[in-house]
Amino acid sequence: DIQMTQSPSTLSASIRDRVTITCRASQSISTWLAWYQQKPGKAPKLLIYDASSLESGVPSRFSGSGSGTEFTLTISSPQTDDFATYYCQQYKSYPWTFGQGTKVEIK
Amino acid sequence: QVQLVESGGGVVQPGRSLRLSCVASGFTFSGYGMHWVRQAPGKGLEWVAIISYDGSNQYYADSVEGRFTISRDNSKSTLYLQINSLRAEDTAVYYCAKDPAYKKVGAPMPFDYWGQGTLVTVSS
């Protein structure tokens, strides 16, 4: 199975700080990577797919980059609504696997 | 708009069985692969199973292989997950999720829509 490791596990940021979350895969997954946002008690929401493609309707302050084994999700100027938990996920091969999540809190 | 509504969760004793359902609307259900993903309380996300758009292919996580069965009824736009021999570690919110690729089997894809989830609690 492909292991996905996110860092950090928790991140404190102020409004308008630049937020960067890293996700590493245990083997190359090309760009078969997605990022999801999850708020408490809610289902995850797709933000980024194919490592850097923005899902329709997602604000442009979210961006993704990377290929192979190292990926990043950046929130250029987070708004109050962006404080949530973020997960990366590989879909190169079964079983699909997720990172352990990064909780972004307000500083 | 796309809607996925799960049901069938509840409190169940260890060793018993349960069937979860996910009713889809707002898209051509018969054209898309569907998944189940679960999340234990306070934990991360775990992919469970996938079924192809026509039901001809299914894949499972090792942790559930042999106990869980994913199926679908395209005439009812409904996805199912049969869970047998329930264990405490199966306690989780179970989400159904949609594959964005139309009539594709095996194409690498994320999950573009998710239901709100149904909670399964395994406890004596």
Side-chain angles (χ1 to χ4, degrees):
Chain A
D1 298 2
I2 299 175
Q3 308 303 316
M4 306 300 292
T5 304
Q6 282 181 240
S7 60
S9 297
T10 306
L11 185 161
S12 294
S14 301
I15 300 291
R16 291 183 296 277
D17 279 348
R18 184 182 184 88
V19 169
T20 300
I21 299 169
T22 298
C23 177
R24 290 186 173 88
S26 61
Q27 61 184 262
S28 177
I29 58 170
S30 184
T31 55
W32 303 120
L33 184 104
W35 289 97
Y36 299 88
Q37 176 194 68
Q38 187 179 33
K39 296 180 180 178
K42 301 294 186 183
K45 172 187 172 185
L46 178 64
L47 301 175
I48 302 283
Y49 62 96
D50 294 350
S52 60
S53 296
L54 196 66
E55 175 71 349
S56 176
V58 174
S60 59
R61 61 182 179 271
F62 291 93
S63 63
S65 64
S67 66
T69 62
E70 189 149 339
F71 304 86
T72 58
L73 172 70
T74 300
I75 312 174
S76 60
S77 183
Q79 306 301 299
T80 303
D81 191 51
D82 300 337
F83 291 94
T85 299
Y86 293 84
Y87 293 93
C88 62
Q89 178 232 341
Q90 69 80 19
Y91 47 95
K92 177 181 184 292
S93 62
Y94 299 114
W96 281 269
T97 46
F98 294 86
Q100 79 279 16
T102 296
K103 186 175 183 180
V104 179
E105 301 176 325
I106 299 176
K107 186 185 288 183
Chain B
Q1 72 281 21
V2 172
Q3 276 200 307
L4 300 169
V5 180
E6 302 93 337
S7 62
V11 180
V12 187
Q13 292 179 329
R16 304 296 291 265
S17 298
L18 200 63
R19 189 176 81 159
L20 307 182
S21 301
C22 168
V23 177
S25 61
F27 67 102
T28 305
F29 180 74
S30 60
Y32 295 89
M34 296 293 296
H35 301 258
W36 287 99
V37 179
R38 68 183 179 180
Q39 186 171 36
K43 302 296 184 184
L45 299 162
E46 179 188 17
W47 173 80
V48 171
I50 180 178
I51 187 167
S52 58
Y53 68 94
D54 59 358
S56 61
N57 292 279
Q58 305 91 33
Y59 294 98
Y60 298 91
D62 287 347
S63 58
V64 307
E65 180 91 56
R67 294 192 301 121
F68 288 24
T69 302
I70 188 171
S71 62
R72 64 191 299 158
D73 184 338
N74 285 343
S75 68
K76 296 181 179 179
S77 295
T78 302
L79 175 72
Y80 301 102
L81 186 68
Q82 177 70 37
I83 308 176
N84 297 329
S85 303
L86 276 154
R87 305 169 179 169
E89 55 264 37
D90 296 322
T91 294
V93 174
Y94 285 75
Y95 296 101
C96 62
K98 175 183 165 292
D99 186 303
Y102 182 72
K103 290 194 176 179
K104 295 277 190 185
V105 178
M109 288 288 168
F111 314 118
D112 62 349
Y113 289 95
W114 299 60
Q116 86 290 347
T118 187
L119 175 62
V120 173
T121 302
V122 183
S123 173
S124 55

